Amino acid sequence: MVKVIDNFLPLESFQKLKWNLTANTMFPYYFQNGKDYPIGDKKSEKMLDQFQFVHLFYNPLCGMVSEYPRWKDIVKPYADRLVSTAILRIKANLNIATKEFITREFHTDFNIECKTAVIYINTNNGYTLFEDGNKVESVENRVVIFDSHMRHAGIPCTDE
């Protein structure tokens, strides 16, 4: 089941989140060569020209791993709004615009009973595509929540 919520965060919280992730030149993103599969995975060989920038805030093995001093401005309002008993991972993905729409490989985030939540930081013509053909368009301050074992793909925008 896919649930879409518009205006997910209160305006002030969302503006802080957006500023930190998009306008703050001190926010560190890290280059990740390959998109949906780790390098060395057979499927990743055809994905090497597809990259993204990532900032990992939290993983369950190490806890909070981000060294960004304002991580609470980003993580706390978002995490507080999600009804959850445990968080498995919090990360920010930055994808650059492409000349044409690129269909990414479908993937799952986790193969256990849990949820994935994606918040869109800006409005653009990219979207999240699900294997069943449904898609959720990238609209600023929209969140999509779905079962983590649902196969999906992030389709990068061409306009932002």
Side-chain angles (χ1 to χ4, degrees), residues 20-160:
N20 276 288
L21 294 179
T22 64
N24 182 356
T25 58
M26 298 303 291
F27 184 79
Y29 281 101
Y30 303 95
F31 180 79
Q32 179 180 329
N33 193 6
K35 179 73 174 95
D36 297 318
Y37 297 96
I39 300 304
D41 184 301
K42 261 187 159 179
K43 292 183 179 181
S44 70
E45 292 175 17
K46 65 180 178 178
M47 307 285 289
L48 290 177
D49 62 337
Q50 297 179 19
F51 62 90
Q52 65 183 358
F53 296 93
V54 175
H55 183 97
L56 181 64
F57 290 99
Y58 176 88
N59 78 42
L61 297 177
C62 301
M64 188 56 66
V65 294
S66 177
E67 294 181 10
Y68 182 62
R70 291 180 151 148
W71 64 265
K72 286 184 183 177
D73 288 342
I74 297 171
V75 173
K76 189 164 178 16
Y78 182 64
D80 286 350
R81 295 274 308 182
L82 295 171
V83 178
S84 176
T85 56
I87 295 175
L88 296 179
R89 179 177 64 199
I90 301 173
K91 69 177 188 160
N93 291 344
L94 170 68
N95 291 283
I96 63 169
T98 56
K99 291 181 182 177
E100 57 190 40
F101 288 110
I102 297 173
T103 302
R104 306 278 195 200
E105 294 283 328
F106 287 106
H107 68 280
T108 59
D109 290 336
F110 296 100
N111 287 319
I112 60 174
E113 290 297 320
C114 62
K115 300 286 186 189
T116 292
V118 176
I119 188 166
Y120 302 97
I121 303 304
N122 67 338
T123 298
N124 61 67
N125 66 356
Y127 53 93
T128 301
L129 179 65
F130 292 89
E131 194 171 43
D132 65 6
N134 286 325
K135 73 178 184 178
V136 177
E137 296 179 359
S138 297
V139 174
E140 182 175 283
N141 202 10
R142 169 180 282 175
V143 71
V144 58
I145 301 170
F146 55 94
D147 293 331
S148 294
H149 57 80
M150 288 182 69
R151 293 176 52 79
H152 62 283
I155 308 301
C157 68
T158 63
D159 64 343
E160 289 290 325

